[in-house]
Amino acid sequence: MSTQTQTQFLLRTEEIPTHWYNLNADFPEPPLPPLHPGTREPVTPDLMLGLFPESLVAQEMSPERYIEIPEEVRAVYALYRPTPLLRAVRLEKALQTPAHIYYKYEGVSPVGSHKPNTAIPQAYFNKQAGTKRLASETGAGQWGSSLAFACRIFGLECTIYMVKISHHQKPYRKILMETYGASVHASPSDRTEFGRKVLASDPESTGSLGIAISEAIEDVMRSPGSKYCLGSVLNMVCLHQTVIGQEAIKQMEMAGEEPDMVFGCAGGGSSFASIAFPFLQRKIKLGKQVRLVAVEPASCPSLTKGELRYDFGDTARTTPLLMMHTLGSDFMPPAIHAGGLRYHGMSPMVSHALTLGLIEARAVDQLKVFEAGTLFARTEGIVPAPESAHAIAAVVQEAIDAREAGRKKVVLFNLSGHGLLDLASYESYLTGTMQA
Amino acid sequence: MSTQTQTQFLLRTEEIPTHWYNLNADFPEPPLPPLHPGTREPVTPDLMLGLFPESLVAQEMSPERYIEIPEEVRAVYALYRPTPLLRAVRLEKALQTPAHIYYKYEGVSPVGSHKPNTAIPQAYFNKQAGTKRLASETGAGQWGSSLAFACRIFGLECTIYMVKISHHQKPYRKILMETYGASVHASPSDRTEFGRKVLASDPESTGSLGIAISEAIEDVMRSPGSKYCLGSVLNMVCLHQTVIGQEAIKQMEMAGEEPDMVFGCAGGGSSFASIAFPFLQRKIKLGKQVRLVAVEPASCPSLTKGELRYDFGDTARTTPLLMMHTLGSDFMPPAIHAGGLRYHGMSPMVSHALTLGLIEARAVDQLKVFEAGTLFARTEGIVPAPESAHAIAAVVQEAIDAREAGRKKVVLFNLSGHGLLDLASYESYLTGTMQA
């Protein structure tokens, strides 16, 4: 490729990270702990053992900087990791920008997103602990299909509560979960007391992640041998997802550039954390100048408009109280197409990083998101997931600003998934029927 | 990964092949040339210039063993190539087989299949020659979306005639083409004389690749500045697709094994050719013992039940006569879910290889295909395209035979695409409504 700019940066199998990185070890000030909602005392590990196995509770509360990735987990990661990092030269050209735009592409996983990075270890540690069945919720279906896949790999049963609006908008994701052998229920469902209560007060409810979480937790609390999993928000999830940023750091070194800015979309926070936290470590420990930007939907703006306070992680108020940016646990997000970002709260780690001024947050509206997603598809080929397209919208604006300022800038973003199962939303955009 | 079997074999960017391999240079006897249907004389290059630019006509007729890949084409290949090769250890375990099963995975391309390998050079050489617009047909939509993608990259307009049954069964593929900016028409359409003729005699026609090819050719013949593209069958397509087999040879060397058998699905022939031809060169030139197996649908069995004779490539009988295995250019394949394999004929190069006894052919029925595809998804994670699952069905049978014979065997197959846009067909299988 001698006459061309190199645009692709690939790692070898042995470069799959060997450890997860825990930002909690490096915060200049420690975050506030989760509280028991009754006593308002910090939760103790035993309180969490009804939902999670001991090994995962230990990860959730760990003060260790690095946690070793079991070989069995790395072996499953090797079905799709290391993932590629690319420079978006065709997008740069279309924007006539002096900015260099890089993206880390997680859509090469079997389900097409970054979610297996945490589904695989959560299923693995549960299997080790003797769990028979896992239950969880899913918004757009990326998390549910990842967990269904991971459960199948490790021989666990899997039950998914899928937010009703997505269950209807994304029928293929439901079939995908069923192809892996999971059972899938539209939430609110009549399988749980809380689901029945929601349906009684609003039979037309389109659901939310908060409601689906409550249903999955209730299901698990009544079923011995079952445990609960969460696809975002938790410390353990942010931890597992750091394989993305760790690989990206090596790949940016191959490219011979340091990013000035790193972008990720933010719903529960793990897509942003995945790419940002390893760079944030370099900012904290090595003084690297890098801006880390979480991009959320204007219609579900927990970081940019939410309050920082203790709140519940679910609508039924069954979880511990988490210190986070929140729109309130009863907030009902509008039915935007980026179902994976329809969550009232934000990862406590991401919230704490924002509070300390270590990261920034922006909100973008849905039409800008799909405008950017379509431009990306037409230049780089990959149709981005609507969630990931939030990061692209912010990157495109940054590239335009760089053009107008006439200044070079190196930006990196997490293309956390492809949108092949979200094409109905692109049709809505292309035919002009999408709401802002 | 010290304690685990290595399962993943990755190449670097610089290992993207630099040349396409032309099997026509190595056949022990030359294949019979295409004939002009009027004179029954071998076609001359000028006859093909209405449809293709000179550079591609030269490739179609080339006697050269290697044809250099332009840097501009390799630069676009680098959006997704080199693709991974994996060992399916979890599938092997599920089958309790001593066979070692390897697969080359092309689903990492932006559209999720191997088709961009030829769409990109076809669009590139047309752009070089001053073409403004490309027209083509598509079955399942894999080819159409690949060409739409390639046209967008090189700034060409794109018109696609999509077989009507797929247009209805696979709405997401249509949206994907439109996201890239292509215009898509269900075939038979009322845009061409031939389409109108078919609709007049059968208003309920579900279409076929043969009909859609005729429509695309008619469109091009009436439109100055437009050229035609084909996604399979032609020599140039088999040529371009050899990047797959060339990479696979290197990757099998990394794995330290030689395949005893290589499998690919066969509709028009290019998916099989892509992986088989570079291994066939080693068989012819180096005397390597390797069996090459083309796997086709039992309901569209051109190689296993068709006649070897001169026939037209399309239903309207507008193409040159090709010496090939054919079910007859008026054969109407049943509406199976593997839309990409619903073609009456077979690549002349693949047909010739079969005639010379260099390759083998097998036919499998649809239920076996989806049984194997579902098993693959549940062990290796990737939901295979229904087309690719034909190869898997044959591989599974081979692995079972190896178990029963108690003999190790190394098999390799081309997983030419993922089935995320074909999930409706998996639903039909899982709910028991699929026809054999």
Side-chain angles (χ1 to χ4, degrees):
Chain A
M1 320 293 275
S2 48
T3 64
Q4 306 276 337
T5 305
Q6 192 181 351
T7 61
Q8 188 193 44
F9 306 92
L10 302 178
L11 301 171
R12 298 273 192 194
T13 308
E14 55 273 22
E15 293 174 284
I16 296 172
T18 56
H19 293 74
W20 294 302
Y21 165 64
N22 184 7
L23 177 62
N24 273 335
D26 286 322
F27 273 127
E29 298 169 32
L32 292 175
L35 301 184
H36 186 287
T39 64
R40 295 191 75 97
E41 291 294 318
V43 293
T44 49
D46 57 293
L47 195 80
M48 299 173 75
L49 293 175
L51 294 179
F52 306 106
E54 209 175 327
S55 46
L56 287 174
V57 172
Q59 288 179 24
E60 186 66 18
M61 300 188 150
S62 175
E64 296 300 320
R65 182 168 290 117
Y66 297 106
I67 294 174
E68 191 170 3
I69 306 176
E71 281 302 309
E72 294 86 344
V73 170
R74 291 182 81 226
V76 185
Y77 279 168
L79 286 170
Y80 63 96
R81 304 209 73 82
T83 62
L85 183 132
L86 293 108
R87 180 163 160 207
V89 284
R90 292 169 189 82
L91 176 63
E92 292 170 14
K93 198 173 161 201
L95 294 169
Q96 298 180 281
T97 180
H100 289 189
I101 303 174
Y102 292 86
Y103 59 100
K104 178 72 170 161
Y105 183 43
E106 293 289 306
V108 295
S109 87
V111 301
S113 80
H114 70 300
K115 292 286 185 183
N117 298 333
T118 184
I120 294 163
Q122 289 195 53
Y124 169 78
F125 287 112
N126 269 288
K127 181 70 181 182
Q128 293 295 102
T131 305
K132 300 296 176 209
R133 184 180 72 116
L134 291 175
S136 192
E137 68 292 329
T138 197
Q142 297 271 21
W143 165 243
S145 46
S146 301
L147 189 63
F149 154 62
C151 282
R152 173 58 66 160
I153 292 283
F154 290 109
L156 295 165
E157 291 175 60
C158 182
T159 302
I160 300 292
Y161 293 86
M162 184 173 191
V163 176
K164 196 171 275 176
I165 180 80
S166 294
H167 189 269
H168 297 340
Q169 277 179 350
K170 315 207 174 200
Y172 280 27
R173 285 249 168 239
K174 169 179 167 282
I175 305 169
L176 180 56
M177 293 184 252
E178 290 170 345
T179 302
Y180 292 129
S183 45
V184 183
H185 309 283
S187 166
S189 78
D190 59 5
R191 288 171 53 91
T192 65
E193 207 171 284
F194 186 66
R196 289 189 294 272
K197 194 174 132 193
V198 173
L199 287 172
S201 78
D202 178 9
E204 303 303 310
S205 169
T206 52
S208 71
L209 276 171
I211 294 170
I213 293 171
S214 297
E215 288 206 82
I217 290 176
E218 184 185 325
D219 173 325
V220 163
M221 297 307 278
R222 289 160 182 242
S223 316
S226 294
K227 294 283 180 192
Y228 172 70
C229 282
L230 193 66
S232 192
V233 184
L234 297 178
N235 297 351
M236 69 174 93
V237 178
C238 295
L239 188 77
H240 299 154
Q241 290 291 1
T242 58
V243 290
I244 296 178
Q246 291 183 66
E247 289 180 5
I249 286 173
K250 281 197 188 177
Q251 289 165 308
M252 288 303 301
E253 280 167 10
M254 290 170 73
E257 302 212 83
E258 283 269 358
D260 299 305
M261 301 182 79
V262 177
F263 294 82
C265 65
S270 80
S271 177
F272 168 71
S274 71
I275 194 145
F277 284 4
F279 284 97
L280 187 46
Q281 181 186 30
R282 290 151 59 95
K283 182 172 178 164
I284 296 170
K285 307 296 279 187
L286 306 177
K288 294 273 182 195
Q289 294 299 312
V290 54
R291 291 170 59 192
L292 305 158
V293 186
V295 189
E296 63 184 8
S299 58
C300 195
S302 56
L303 278 173
T304 53
K305 298 220 174 134
E307 280 183 273
L308 179 70
R309 62 175 169 89
Y310 273 111
D311 196 9
F312 292 96
D314 71 326
T315 308
R317 307 181 164 215
T318 41
T319 69
L321 288 164
L322 304 173
M323 174 53 81
M324 62 181 176
H325 287 83
T326 178
L327 298 161
S329 63
D330 54 357
F331 177 78
M332 191 59 63
I336 55 167
H337 289 279
L341 305 183
R342 293 178 74 238
Y343 183 63
H344 68 275
M346 180 55 62
S347 148
M349 287 175 86
V350 172
S351 294
H352 190 57
L354 183 66
T355 306
L356 296 180
L358 296 169
I359 66 167
E360 304 163 42
R362 294 183 193 173
V364 288
D365 81 35
Q366 181 161 257
L367 285 173
K368 280 276 174 208
V369 165
F370 279 86
E371 186 188 333
T374 303
L375 175 64
F376 191 81
R378 291 180 174 185
T379 50
E380 296 295 313
I382 299 161
V383 179
E387 291 80 6
S388 319
H390 282 71
I392 301 177
V395 164
V396 164
Q397 189 55 55
E398 207 60 44
I400 291 170
D401 292 351
R403 178 183 72 208
E404 285 169 4
R407 225 188 335 242
K408 189 193 152 184
K409 189 182 289 183
V410 179
V411 300
L412 165 67
F413 71 94
N414 183 18
L415 183 54
S416 53
H418 66 62
L420 291 180
L421 295 187
D422 308 287
L423 281 164
S425 60
Y426 280 87
E427 183 173 49
S428 159
Y429 172 72
L430 292 169
T431 57
T433 59
M434 180 175 282
Q435 310 286 311
Chain B
M1 321 291 276
S2 49
T3 62
Q4 306 276 337
T5 304
Q6 192 182 353
T7 61
Q8 188 194 43
F9 306 93
L10 301 178
L11 302 172
R12 297 274 192 192
T13 309
E14 56 272 23
E15 293 174 284
I16 296 172
T18 55
H19 292 75
W20 293 302
Y21 165 64
N22 183 8
L23 178 61
N24 274 333
D26 286 323
F27 273 129
E29 297 169 33
L32 292 174
L35 302 183
H36 186 286
T39 63
R40 295 192 75 96
E41 292 293 318
V43 293
T44 49
D46 57 295
L47 195 80
M48 299 173 74
L49 294 176
L51 294 179
F52 306 107
E54 209 174 327
S55 47
L56 288 173
V57 173
Q59 289 179 23
E60 186 66 17
M61 301 187 149
S62 174
E64 297 299 319
R65 183 168 290 116
Y66 298 106
I67 293 173
E68 192 171 2
I69 306 175
E71 282 301 310
E72 293 85 344
V73 170
R74 292 182 80 226
V76 184
Y77 279 168
L79 286 171
Y80 63 96
R81 303 209 72 80
T83 63
L85 184 132
L86 294 109
R87 181 165 160 206
V89 285
R90 292 167 190 84
L91 175 62
E92 292 170 14
K93 198 172 162 201
L95 294 169
Q96 297 181 283
T97 180
H100 290 190
I101 303 173
Y102 292 85
Y103 59 100
K104 177 72 171 161
Y105 183 43
E106 292 289 306
V108 294
S109 87
V111 301
S113 80
H114 70 303
K115 293 286 184 183
N117 298 332
T118 184
I120 293 162
Q122 289 194 54
Y124 168 78
F125 287 111
N126 269 288
K127 180 68 179 183
Q128 294 295 102
T131 307
K132 301 295 175 210
R133 183 181 72 117
L134 290 175
S136 193
E137 68 293 329
T138 196
Q142 297 270 21
W143 165 243
S145 45
S146 302
L147 189 63
F149 154 61
C151 281
R152 172 58 68 163
I153 292 283
F154 290 110
L156 295 165
E157 290 175 60
C158 183
T159 302
I160 301 292
Y161 292 86
M162 184 173 191
V163 176
K164 195 171 277 175
I165 179 81
S166 294
H167 189 269
H168 297 341
Q169 277 179 350
K170 315 205 175 198
Y172 280 25
R173 284 249 168 242
K174 172 180 165 281
I175 305 170
L176 180 55
M177 294 183 253
E178 291 170 345
T179 302
Y180 292 130
S183 45
V184 183
H185 309 283
S187 167
S189 79
D190 60 6
R191 288 171 53 91
T192 66
E193 210 171 281
F194 186 67
R196 290 189 293 273
K197 196 173 129 192
V198 173
L199 286 172
S201 78
D202 177 10
E204 302 304 311
S205 169
T206 52
S208 71
L209 275 172
I211 295 170
I213 293 172
S214 298
E215 289 205 82
I217 291 177
E218 185 187 324
D219 172 324
V220 163
M221 297 308 280
R222 289 160 182 243
S223 316
S226 293
K227 294 283 180 193
Y228 173 70
C229 283
L230 193 66
S232 192
V233 183
L234 297 178
N235 298 350
M236 68 173 96
V237 178
C238 295
L239 189 77
H240 298 154
Q241 290 291 1
T242 58
V243 290
I244 296 178
Q246 292 182 66
E247 288 180 6
I249 286 173
K250 281 199 188 172
Q251 289 165 308
M252 288 303 301
E253 280 165 10
M254 289 170 73
E257 301 213 83
E258 283 270 357
D260 299 305
M261 303 182 77
V262 177
F263 294 81
C265 66
S270 80
S271 177
F272 168 71
S274 71
I275 192 143
F277 284 4
F279 284 97
L280 188 44
Q281 180 186 30
R282 290 153 59 96
K283 181 173 179 164
I284 296 170
K285 306 298 278 186
L286 306 177
K288 294 273 182 194
Q289 295 298 314
V290 54
R291 291 170 60 192
L292 306 158
V293 186
V295 189
E296 63 184 10
S299 58
C300 194
S302 55
L303 278 173
T304 54
K305 299 221 173 131
E307 278 184 275
L308 179 70
R309 63 173 167 88
Y310 274 111
D311 195 8
F312 292 96
D314 71 326
T315 308
R317 306 181 164 214
T318 40
T319 69
L321 288 165
L322 304 172
M323 174 53 80
M324 62 180 178
H325 288 84
T326 176
L327 299 160
S329 61
D330 54 357
F331 177 78
M332 192 57 64
I336 55 168
H337 290 279
L341 305 183
R342 293 177 74 238
Y343 184 64
H344 68 275
M346 181 54 63
S347 149
M349 289 175 84
V350 173
S351 293
H352 190 56
L354 183 66
T355 306
L356 296 180
L358 296 170
I359 66 166
E360 304 162 42
R362 293 183 194 171
V364 290
D365 80 34
Q366 182 161 256
L367 285 173
K368 280 277 176 205
V369 165
F370 279 87
E371 187 188 331
T374 303
L375 176 63
F376 191 82
R378 290 180 176 184
T379 50
E380 297 295 314
I382 299 161
V383 178
E387 291 80 6
S388 319
H390 283 72
I392 301 176
V395 164
V396 164
Q397 188 56 57
E398 207 60 45
I400 291 169
D401 293 351
R403 177 182 72 206
E404 285 169 6
R407 223 182 342 235
K408 187 193 153 183
K409 189 182 290 182
V410 179
V411 302
L412 165 67
F413 72 94
N414 183 17
L415 182 55
S416 52
H418 66 61
L420 292 180
L421 296 187
D422 308 287
L423 281 164
S425 60
Y426 279 86
E427 182 172 49
S428 159
Y429 172 72
L430 292 169
T431 56
T433 59
M434 179 174 284
Q435 311 287 311

